[in-house]
């Protein structure tokens, strides 16, 4: 009997400190004033990446909208004012994606948030961990004439930007006071059709074997639009959920590496 009580207690504690996928939804998008109220009485603004659990309630003011996803890749959209708990949202008509690509994307987001936790840093659906680079994402195909390299460091001070060509030749080393640098493809450094890799450190002479680097390649706009056409079903589903063109382009870039 004592053993049974111990097992029961462990299960109860687990329900408090972990997210059970079957008992929650993941917030994918909010618009307007959507407040997140818990049983403990805390009230915070609802935002992408937060879970809605059984004990939670969401308050939507007039004009506000909320889209949440489940572990199977289906979406639920709330676009009426009022107070909604988890069950009330689940009772709404299911916004099932028409494209398998969309379902896979939503499942990926769900799994990554479960694996990394709500407080993990995420950009466009891609988790960053301890890597300082933010943009362009790793293995990106870029069609824009100007590339805005961005990164994040603990203390904003001098950073060192390194750029290599496809033959691993270091073609640029720059000392930067800040967290971004712009390069243009019209320069002799960046050429269409070529592949490159880049890295950020706070050391002028690092051991390159011990630092992370990200890759990217340059494509023209015709190839970009050909690739984007393959993502049309995903784009259609995301538009039906209320995302605008710039939000969709951000997802295509930061999640799928297709950058305009």
């Amino acid at each position: 009997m004592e053993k049974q009580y111990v097992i029961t207690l462990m299960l109860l504690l687990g329900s408090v400190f972990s997210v059970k996928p079957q008992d929650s939804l993941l917030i994918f998008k909010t618009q307007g004033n959507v407040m997140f109220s818990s049983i403990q009485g805390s009230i915070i603004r609802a935002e992408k990446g937060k879970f809605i659990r059984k004990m939670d309630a969401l308050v939507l003011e007039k004009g506000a909208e909320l889209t949440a996803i489940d572990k199977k890749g289906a979406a639920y959209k709330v676009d009426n004012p009022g107070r909604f708990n988890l069950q009330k949202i689940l009772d709404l008509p299911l916004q099932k994606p028409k494209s398998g690509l969309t379902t896979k994307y939503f499942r990926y987001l769900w799994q990554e948030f479960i694996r990394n936790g709500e407080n993990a840093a995420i950009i466009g659906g891609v988790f960053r961990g301890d890597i300082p680079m933010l943009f362009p994402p790793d293995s990106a195909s870029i069609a824009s004439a100007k590339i805005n390299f961005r990164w994040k460091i603990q203390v904003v001070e001098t950073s060192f930007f390194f750029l290599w060509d496809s033959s691993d030749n270091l073609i640029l080393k720059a000392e930067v006071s800040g967290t971004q640098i712009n390069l243009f493809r019209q320069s002799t450094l960046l050429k269409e059709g070529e592949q490159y890799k880049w890295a950020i450190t706070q050391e002028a002479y690092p051991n390159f074997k011990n630092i992370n680097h990200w890759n990217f390649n340059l494509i023209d706009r015709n190839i970009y639009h050909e690739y984007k056409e393959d993502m049309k079903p995903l784009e259609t589903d995301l538009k039906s959920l209320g995302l605008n063109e710039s939000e969709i382009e951000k997802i295509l870039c930061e999640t799928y590496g297709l950058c305009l």
Side-chain angles (χ1 to χ4, degrees):
M1 183 66 69
E2 181 179 353
K3 184 177 180 180
Q4 181 180 349
Y5 288 148
V6 172
I7 293 174
T8 303
L9 179 59
M10 289 176 65
L11 290 173
L12 288 173
L13 289 175
S15 68
V16 172
F17 293 107
S18 65
V19 175
K20 290 188 175 181
Q22 67 270 20
D23 295 332
S24 60
L25 292 174
L26 177 65
I27 297 177
F28 174 68
K29 175 182 170 63
T30 62
Q31 180 177 313
N33 197 3
V34 182
M35 303 307 295
F36 190 43
S37 177
S38 69
I39 196 170
Q40 291 84 5
S42 59
I43 299 177
I44 60 173
R45 181 173 294 277
E47 56 187 18
K48 180 178 180 178
K50 295 294 184 181
F51 282 98
I52 307 170
R53 301 176 177 86
K54 282 186 175 181
M55 70 287 289
D56 297 324
L58 288 163
V59 179
L60 279 72
E61 294 189 357
K62 186 177 181 180
E65 294 183 3
L66 164 79
T67 302
I69 60 175
D70 65 19
K71 66 175 181 177
K72 296 181 180 179
Y76 301 80
K77 187 173 182 179
V78 185
D79 53 9
N80 293 317
R83 185 179 180 88
F84 297 82
N85 59 19
L86 176 64
Q87 189 57 54
K88 194 171 181 180
I89 297 174
L90 290 172
D91 289 340
L92 294 172
L94 198 63
Q95 305 285 318
K96 190 173 183 179
K98 297 179 181 179
S99 166
L101 189 62
T102 309
T103 300
K104 289 180 180 178
Y105 171 61
F106 286 159
R107 286 176 179 172
Y108 164 78
L109 286 184
W110 179 277
Q111 292 167 0
E112 287 300 296
F113 271 105
I114 289 291
R115 184 180 299 116
N116 293 277
E118 293 177 83
N119 295 322
I122 183 170
I123 307 295
V126 180
F127 287 80
R128 297 306 188 216
D130 296 328
I131 298 175
M133 290 86 76
L134 295 177
F135 187 89
D138 192 20
S139 302
S141 296
I142 305 172
S144 59
K146 181 178 76 172
I147 306 174
N148 175 229
F149 295 87
R150 301 192 299 273
W151 55 91
K152 184 177 181 179
I153 52 179
Q154 295 299 324
V155 180
V156 179
E157 53 186 27
T158 299
S159 300
F160 294 90
F161 174 88
F162 298 91
L163 181 70
W164 295 266
D165 63 16
S166 57
S167 299
D168 284 338
N169 298 311
L170 181 63
I171 57 177
L172 177 63
K173 174 182 178 179
E175 182 176 346
V176 184
S177 296
T179 56
Q180 61 180 315
I181 186 173
N182 292 325
L183 296 180
F184 296 83
R185 70 161 60 202
Q186 290 89 347
S187 67
T188 56
L189 290 175
L190 300 177
K191 300 177 182 178
E192 187 176 300
E194 295 293 328
Q195 295 188 1
Y196 302 88
K197 65 181 182 180
W198 66 288
I200 289 295
T201 75
Q202 291 186 270
E203 302 176 34
Y205 302 96
N207 182 345
F208 292 123
K209 294 181 180 180
N210 297 330
I211 64 173
N212 292 299
H213 64 267
W214 280 0
N215 302 285
F216 68 94
N217 68 89
L218 300 179
I219 60 175
D220 65 30
R221 287 180 176 263
N222 291 329
I223 294 178
Y224 170 85
H225 288 297
E226 287 180 12
Y227 288 164
K228 189 179 179 183
E229 190 65 27
D230 294 336
M231 310 295 286
K232 196 71 176 180
L234 172 64
E235 184 177 358
T236 300
D237 280 337
L238 294 179
K239 281 183 177 179
S240 70
L241 293 174
L243 275 71
N244 58 39
E245 190 67 29
S246 63
E247 290 173 321
I248 293 172
E249 287 184 356
K250 185 176 181 180
I251 288 174
L252 293 181
C253 178
E254 296 184 336
T255 305
Y256 296 95
L258 185 59
C259 306
L260 183 62

